[in-house]
Amino acid sequence: MKKNIPSLILTFFLLFLWQAIAMSINAAYILPSPLQILAKLWELREILIFVHLPATMSVTFLGLFISILLGIFLAILMDASPKIENALYPLIIASQTIPTTAIAPLFVLWFGYTIWSKVLVTILITFFPITITVYDGLKSTKREMEELLLTYGATKKDIFIKLKLPTALPAFFSAIKMAIPMSIIGAAIAEWLGAQSGLGYFSKRMMTQLDGAGVFAPVVLLSFVAMVSVAIVSMIEKKLITWRKEI
């Protein structure tokens, strides 16, 4: 708990400052106070948690799952062959130059208001950090260790499973912890631009009604879910990578 005290103090200070500014402005449709947001969150708890949150989370986890599979697959391909790396790497970089707000309406046009139009936006945002981080993790394997295993008669498969995969595990978990908030942001953006349910859709609807607290309430809920998800991944990481502290 001691290491979290500075963070808690800073958080409470910022919330107090936010509350004071919001009270001085006295315009909840522009800047609602934290207390007003919490009150709205409690008032709308049933429709947010049981209706719109499952819709957003289904998009988030499906998009994240596909991004993990795609990212790992591309990282392994690029690590296996320099020619494949030279062919794929520029395309992967180029995919991140596409403005999400520009391409998302096209996905809605192609797939309608189905889940796949939103999942594609999530994949477009999240697969890049997973691919690049896992690829860098695979490339960080020490050449001396590879040569040592080769002298022991190890095959490329042995080197990949027993050396490269364990070396890339920390990078993989770092990528997942980065991708979780980004996947939630991607799902919310997709719902904001075109959806019939979800926290992003609900926030947009509240905005049209000039309900500032209603706009912030889904955002607070999404932030809480993202922090809990990252904390769970961090716990799994500590359980699996027990040798990290020895480095």
Side-chain angles (χ1 to χ4, degrees):
M1 290 296 296
K2 288 183 179 180
K3 67 178 181 180
N4 294 325
I5 289 177
S7 177
L8 291 173
I9 293 174
L10 179 60
T11 300
F12 281 116
F13 172 76
L14 293 176
L15 288 175
F16 176 80
L17 183 63
W18 181 359
Q19 180 73 28
I21 295 174
M23 291 176 65
S24 64
I25 294 176
N26 194 23
Y29 62 92
I30 297 177
L31 181 65
S33 68
L35 293 179
Q36 289 173 325
I37 295 172
L38 290 178
K40 180 64 70 171
L41 189 58
W42 177 255
E43 176 188 343
L44 301 173
R45 62 190 183 279
E46 292 186 2
I47 189 172
L48 289 179
I49 295 176
F50 298 108
V51 177
H52 294 290
L53 180 61
T56 302
M57 288 299 100
S58 61
V59 173
T60 299
F61 289 125
L62 181 58
L64 185 60
F65 177 72
I66 296 175
S67 293
I68 291 173
L69 295 181
L70 179 63
I72 293 176
F73 176 71
L74 292 176
I76 292 175
L77 277 182
M78 291 192 296
D79 178 69
S81 171
K83 292 183 179 179
I84 296 178
E85 176 191 355
N86 294 333
L88 289 179
Y89 203 92
L91 295 178
I92 294 173
I93 299 296
S95 69
Q96 299 307 294
T97 64
I98 303 173
T100 306
T101 52
I103 198 69
L106 290 178
F107 291 155
V108 175
L109 183 64
W110 296 339
F111 298 97
Y113 290 112
T114 64
I115 190 174
W116 293 109
S117 62
K118 297 178 282 292
V119 167
L120 285 174
V121 175
T122 305
I123 294 172
L124 183 64
I125 292 177
T126 55
F127 92 95
F128 175 78
I130 296 174
T131 302
I132 299 302
T133 308
V134 173
Y135 171 70
D136 288 341
L138 293 172
K139 283 295 184 183
S140 65
T141 305
K142 292 184 177 180
R143 181 62 185 169
E144 295 84 355
M145 295 295 295
E146 292 187 43
E147 293 173 350
L148 178 62
L149 290 181
L150 287 173
T151 60
Y152 288 156
T155 62
K156 289 186 176 180
K157 180 180 178 182
D158 294 329
I159 293 175
F160 179 78
I161 294 176
K162 297 181 179 181
L163 180 60
K164 288 197 170 186
L165 280 185
T167 303
L169 265 182
F172 169 75
F173 279 105
S174 297
I176 298 301
K177 287 186 284 188
M178 285 190 296
I180 286 175
M182 296 177 70
S183 64
I184 292 177
I185 292 172
I189 291 175
E191 291 169 350
W192 184 281
L193 295 174
Q196 295 176 322
S197 62
L199 293 175
Y201 160 80
F202 186 84
S203 179
K204 181 181 180 181
R205 195 176 76 182
M206 290 295 100
M207 181 177 167
T208 60
Q209 299 176 11
L210 296 179
D211 188 345
V215 173
F216 275 88
V219 176
V220 172
L221 184 57
L222 283 175
S223 299
F224 176 77
V225 171
M227 288 188 290
V228 171
S229 301
V230 171
I232 293 173
V233 172
S234 297
M235 292 173 59
I236 297 173
E237 180 184 13
K238 290 180 180 178
K239 294 291 183 180
L240 291 180
I241 310 179
T242 56
W243 41 264
R244 169 173 268 186
K245 294 181 179 179
E246 298 176 3
I247 299 179

